[in-house]
Structures are given as structure tokens and as C-alpha cells.
Amino acid sequence: MANLNELTVSLLDRLAKECGIKFKKGTKKPEKIATIKNAGIEETYLEQLLNKYLAQKSIPRKTSKDAISELKGRVKLLEEQVRFLMSEISVSKVSLTKKDDRDIITFTTDLADIKKFIKSIISPGESITIDELIELKEIQKIPLIALKHSIYDLIEEGIFNGVPGNSRQKIGGKIGTLIRT
């Protein structure tokens, strides 16, 4: 008798559909196999179907080049983000000051750190509106003037293109979207 256990659940479903068998939703694999075996299907026909679907199972799935290149881009972006976070952990300057009998903790970052962070969150070809950028938790800790100067520097360095976009807030009254080049 044919060994239906070798087929995946989806292939069992296809085999059953070809034989005119319908399963209830949530039917488990052993129940599906038992139903197919008890359906009175001729042994040689069932053997042919099994071989047909086993052949489909053995064909490796092709991954598209686009999917691979997208994954490579995402991995590269993640690597940049990890590098940035590691540099933030080791470079952040924390100072404790007293004001009105209270301790105030301040974090200071320079423009290079802000530029690194912005570059790490946007991969080449992607864009972000100024509204989306400002809503990021990490950016909210940065003074707006420092963010503005960092964005201008990134545009001058050719890393981003600043275009008018669909953003409520704009840098310099005209830059609403940043596009990574």
C-alpha cells in the first residue's frame, strides 16, 4: 500500500482534491491519511498519485533574486543599526547636574552620532517623512536644531535627497521627505 505519510499536509490536500475527497477544516494529517485510504481508491491509481506528489515534493523551491537582494539589503541595514547601537553604548556621554536641589541627567550626542543613526534606519532607495523621523523615540531625545543641522549635513554629503513631501513638519520650510541615495 502507498505510504502517504511521506507527503506534506498541503500535498495530501491536493491529492484528496484530485480524488474528490473533501476534509473538514482542522482535520489532522493522520485523519486525512485514514480518510484517503478508506475512500476505496484503486491501489495503482493511488500509487500513481503518490508518486506524482512525491516528485513535486522533491523539487526545490526557487528563491527569486529580488527576494535575496532584499534580504541582503535588510541584513546590511541591521548591521548598520547594530554598529550604531554599539557605538552609542560606548560613546554616549552622561552627565549629572544639580538644578534647584534636583539631580538632572543629560545625554549629549554630537551631530556625527545623529547622522549615523539616521543613516542606519533608512536603507538605500527608501524614504522617510520628517513627521515619521521626529516620531522615533530615539530622535525625540535630540534637540530639533541638532536634528535640522544633521539633516542638512546628510543632504550636503549626498547621502539623502531632501524633497517636499506629504509631511506636516518640514525642515527649512520645504524639506518634508528624505530619500536615501
Side-chain angles (χ1 to χ4, degrees), residues 8 25 27 34 45 55 58-59 68 78 83 95 99 104 108 115-117 135 153 159 166 168 175-177 181:
T8 62
K25 190 170 185 164
T27 305
Y45 180 63
S58 65
I59 297 172
I68 292 172
L78 282 173
R83 270 190 235 108
S95 61
K99 184 176 183 180
I104 298 174
T108 57
K115 292 189 311 189
K116 276 186 204 174
F117 176 75
E135 288 176 5
D153 287 350
I159 297 170
N166 195 11
R168 292 184 312 273
I175 299 172
T177 302
T181 55

Side-chain angles (χ1 to χ4, degrees), residues 42-58:
E42 184 182 321
E43 185 68 32
T44 55
Y45 180 63
L46 187 58
E47 209 50 58
Q48 287 175 347
L49 289 176
L50 178 65
N51 291 333
K52 172 184 169 183
Y53 287 108
L54 282 175
Q56 287 182 11
K57 180 182 175 187
S58 65

Side-chain angles (χ1 to χ4, degrees), residues 6-172:
E6 295 179 33
L7 294 178
T8 62
V9 174
S10 63
L11 290 175
L12 278 173
D13 290 339
R14 284 199 219 152
L15 186 143
K17 186 176 181 182
E18 195 168 327
C19 294
I21 300 171
K22 292 186 180 181
F23 297 119
K24 292 180 183 175
K25 190 170 185 164
T27 305
K28 303 288 183 208
K29 183 176 180 176
E31 296 166 351
K32 290 180 180 187
I33 292 171
T35 305
I36 292 170
K37 285 182 178 179
N38 296 331
I41 302 168
E42 184 182 321
E43 185 68 32
T44 55
Y45 180 63
L46 187 58
E47 209 50 58
Q48 287 175 347
L49 289 176
L50 178 65
N51 291 333
K52 172 184 169 183
Y53 287 108
L54 282 175
Q56 287 182 11
K57 180 182 175 187
S58 65
I59 297 172
R61 292 186 177 165
K62 296 178 183 176
T63 55
S64 70
K65 291 180 181 179
D66 292 339
I68 292 172
S69 64
E70 179 186 351
L71 284 175
K72 285 181 181 177
R74 292 172 119 186
V75 167
K76 186 175 181 178
L77 180 62
L78 282 173
E79 288 171 345
E80 288 178 14
Q81 289 173 338
V82 167
R83 270 190 235 108
F84 170 76
L85 290 174
M86 294 305 291
S87 69
E88 273 299 302
I89 290 170
S90 62
V91 174
S92 289
K93 298 169 189 130
V94 180
S95 61
L96 183 65
T97 57
K98 285 206 178 261
K99 184 176 183 180
D100 300 330
D101 295 330
R102 293 186 318 189
D103 290 333
I104 298 174
I105 298 174
T106 57
F107 294 90
T108 57
T109 54
D110 61 358
L111 294 182
D113 290 338
I114 298 169
K115 292 189 311 189
K116 276 186 204 174
F117 176 75
I118 293 171
K119 287 191 299 190
S120 73
I121 61 171
I122 305 166
S123 59
E126 292 184 343
S127 65
I128 189 168
T129 65
I130 300 301
D131 290 342
E132 292 170 328
L133 186 65
I134 291 174
E135 288 176 5
L136 294 173
K137 184 173 77 174
E138 296 83 13
I139 296 290
Q140 290 177 355
K141 299 173 187 173
I142 299 169
L144 285 175
I145 192 71
L147 178 63
K148 180 180 174 181
H149 287 295
S150 298
I151 290 172
Y152 280 135
D153 287 350
L154 289 168
I155 291 170
E156 285 178 21
E157 293 170 8
I159 297 170
F160 285 95
N161 287 331
V163 296
N166 195 11
S167 181
R168 292 184 312 273
Q169 297 185 9
K170 299 196 186 289
I171 301 292

